[in-house]
Amino acid sequence: NAALRSLETSLTEIGFEVQTVRIATNPFAEWLTREGPDGDGEGPPPAKRAKDDMPGVIKSRLSRIDALLEAHGIQFFSFGPSHDPDDTRRVCPAIVAASGRFCCSANVDADDVESARAAAACIREVSTMDGAAHLSGGLGNFRFCAASRVESVPFFPGGRAPAGLPGGVVGVAVGLENGAFMRALLGEAGSVVNVRGTLHSRLGEELAPIQEVCRGCKPRGDDGDVTVKFFGIDTSWNPSLDEGGSVAAALEALEEVRGAFGGTGSLAAAAAVTRAIQSVPGIASTGYSGLMLPVLEDRRLADVANSG
């Protein structure tokens, strides 16, 4: 936590706003749902704990994790992906319900029908949850998603640490909310022809100081026994609901996009932007590093979808 706070301070000092500090872990089945000591000395030893006791054990562990996050000022925590359809149905809803800080996901490969059905069942169950501000009105599904072909990513709810990370090593990655900035860059580009050059130049300038600070992150204080590894920056174009934060509206500014986003030229524009943000010279990328088009988080995209 000391290293994270030092990094947060360093990024703020060079002019960037750090909206949230988040933690993402390896798949929760590797630690949360394993039978073993709970760390508080209470209850029967693991060899004597019945399998039927596990839901209560998981709930207790979630409660303690939530308390630790609150104590250390960590806003969000991702438990990594489920790789087991039974865990997706049984454990993922419990994680989402337990706290507004918690997120998780389900890994769904292209031909894995059972995992897809389990993810759908979880989404449906979460959509009916109520009784807490982070759940009412279907908001719980901002804290769960199905994901595929993702090794590590800083964006939530799909946030996860890479597999095989050695003990004593923690990773740092950066996700961006850059809708308004990217819209300004596309305004400069004006045409698909200029997208690559404009984005490579301007994004490189903007992200290089972030990368330099992150690469210099070292353990501090109580973190002295760990090694900090920089995974990279997720260069995804991530929209916001703020004024000027729409991806769809920005793409409409390119001369090749005729009319509303989704019409003539939209696919070419999306492809040009995706290629550019996935290949920014000198920037170590991680995660999705792609074009995000979430209908519920992009006002213009929602308008276009509603208009048919």
Side-chain angles (χ1 to χ4, degrees):
N1 189 54
L4 285 175
R5 295 307 174 190
S6 174
L7 181 58
E8 180 182 22
T9 299
S10 297
L11 289 171
T12 302
E13 287 176 348
I14 63 172
F16 292 94
E17 177 187 357
V18 179
Q19 292 183 317
T20 59
V21 177
R22 308 179 178 197
I23 294 175
T25 71
N26 50 311
F28 63 78
E30 297 176 4
W31 55 278
L32 177 69
T33 57
R34 281 189 172 181
E35 294 191 29
D38 290 341
D40 57 8
E42 298 180 3
K48 296 182 180 180
R49 184 182 292 123
K51 187 175 181 64
D52 290 346
D53 291 339
M54 283 308 293
V57 171
I58 292 170
K59 185 176 181 180
S60 175
R61 291 172 179 172
L62 291 173
S63 178
R64 285 200 297 278
I65 292 168
D66 193 37
L68 285 170
L69 296 174
E70 182 175 11
H72 289 281
I74 303 297
Q75 294 98 326
F76 295 102
F77 185 97
S78 173
F79 287 76
S82 166
H83 290 276
D84 182 339
D86 183 58
D87 281 347
T88 302
R89 292 186 176 94
R90 179 177 59 91
V91 182
C92 289
I95 290 173
V96 172
S99 171
R101 294 183 179 86
F102 293 166
C103 297
C104 61
S105 61
N107 192 75
V108 180
D109 293 328
D111 59 348
D112 190 346
V113 175
E114 184 179 4
S115 291
R117 286 175 174 166
C122 178
I123 291 168
R124 182 174 182 178
E125 180 175 350
V126 170
S127 73
T128 65
M129 292 179 176
D130 211 337
H134 74 282
L135 299 173
S136 61
L139 290 177
N141 272 316
F142 279 102
R143 291 166 171 79
F144 173 81
C145 73
S148 181
R149 300 181 63 82
V150 178
E151 293 184 4
S152 64
V153 63
F155 282 106
F156 283 33
R160 63 186 69 184
L165 201 63
V169 177
V170 297
V172 171
V174 177
L176 309 169
E177 184 166 304
N178 53 4
F181 175 66
M182 292 291 288
R183 182 172 184 171
L185 295 192
L186 287 200
E188 291 181 22
S191 167
V192 167
V193 175
N194 303 323
V195 163
R196 181 182 178 88
T198 301
L199 266 58
H200 277 187
S201 173
R202 300 280 274 110
L203 268 180
E205 292 174 3
E206 193 77 6
L207 300 182
I210 299 175
Q211 179 170 270
E212 182 178 357
V213 168
C214 291
R215 281 182 166 163
C217 183
K218 304 293 183 184
R220 304 291 176 91
D222 294 339
D223 297 336
D225 293 334
V226 303
T227 299
V228 179
K229 180 178 180 180
F230 176 55
F231 292 141
I233 300 172
D234 191 322
T235 57
S236 293
W237 183 356
N238 178 30
S240 76
L241 294 173
D242 297 334
E243 184 68 28
S246 167
V247 170
L251 289 170
E252 288 174 348
L254 294 173
E255 64 181 38
E256 289 84 1
V257 179
R258 305 284 193 265
F261 177 75
T264 303
S266 299
L267 186 58
V273 169
T274 300
R275 284 193 295 268
I277 61 182
Q278 288 180 341
S279 58
V280 181
I283 300 300
S285 62
T286 190
Y288 300 121
S289 290
L291 185 64
M292 293 191 178
L293 295 169
V295 175
L296 297 180
E297 299 176 46
D298 186 314
R299 294 186 188 278
R300 176 57 180 161
L301 191 59
D303 290 342
V304 172
N306 285 334
S307 70

